[in-house]
Amino acid sequence: MILITRPVSQTKNLELLLNNRNIDYALFPAFEIIKIQTAAPVEKYDIIIFISVNAVSYAEEHFDELFSDSSKVFAVGRWASNGKSIVKEKYCS
């Protein structure tokens, strides 16, 4: 039995994988991810590290303000890396 603690809105892919492999699981959303209101910093950054797909999606509205042509972008995890690829294509050389 696997206990899934992610927010319900982020469990569909995992549920499909578990169902396809006949693995029992229980949903127990232990936390909720809420976007906070932030102002973009005034300077551009040389290096930006995303630690989750949520970090990529919530920072997206500020990409133009954060990235320079020489920015290096790093991401932790496969889903964040997918977001990083989109970032690099759009904003970094």
Side-chain angles (χ1 to χ4, degrees):
M1 172 72 75
I2 294 178
L3 183 64
I4 301 174
T5 60
R6 295 196 56 84
V8 174
S9 63
Q10 297 181 351
T11 63
K12 296 302 172 208
N13 288 336
L14 180 55
E15 287 183 74
L16 285 171
L17 288 171
L18 294 173
N19 284 330
N20 288 341
R21 289 168 178 74
N22 294 318
I23 298 173
D24 290 331
Y25 64 89
L27 290 177
F28 185 80
F31 59 93
E32 181 180 5
I33 297 172
I34 299 172
K35 180 180 177 183
I36 60 172
Q37 292 298 330
T38 58
V42 293
E43 64 270 359
K44 304 255 185 204
Y45 291 91
D46 297 325
I47 298 173
I48 297 176
I49 302 171
F50 291 105
I51 59 168
S52 71
V53 69
N54 295 312
V56 174
S57 58
Y58 289 144
E60 188 171 11
E61 69 185 77
H62 300 292
F63 284 171
D64 289 330
E65 301 152 71
L66 295 173
F67 296 111
S68 68
D69 289 339
S70 62
S71 292
K72 290 181 177 38
V73 180
F74 298 91
V76 176
R78 188 175 77 161
W79 296 111
S81 293
N82 289 343
K84 180 197 80 162
S85 297
I86 294 166
V87 169
K88 284 189 69 96
E89 287 171 20
K90 289 183 178 180
Y91 296 97
C92 303
S93 55

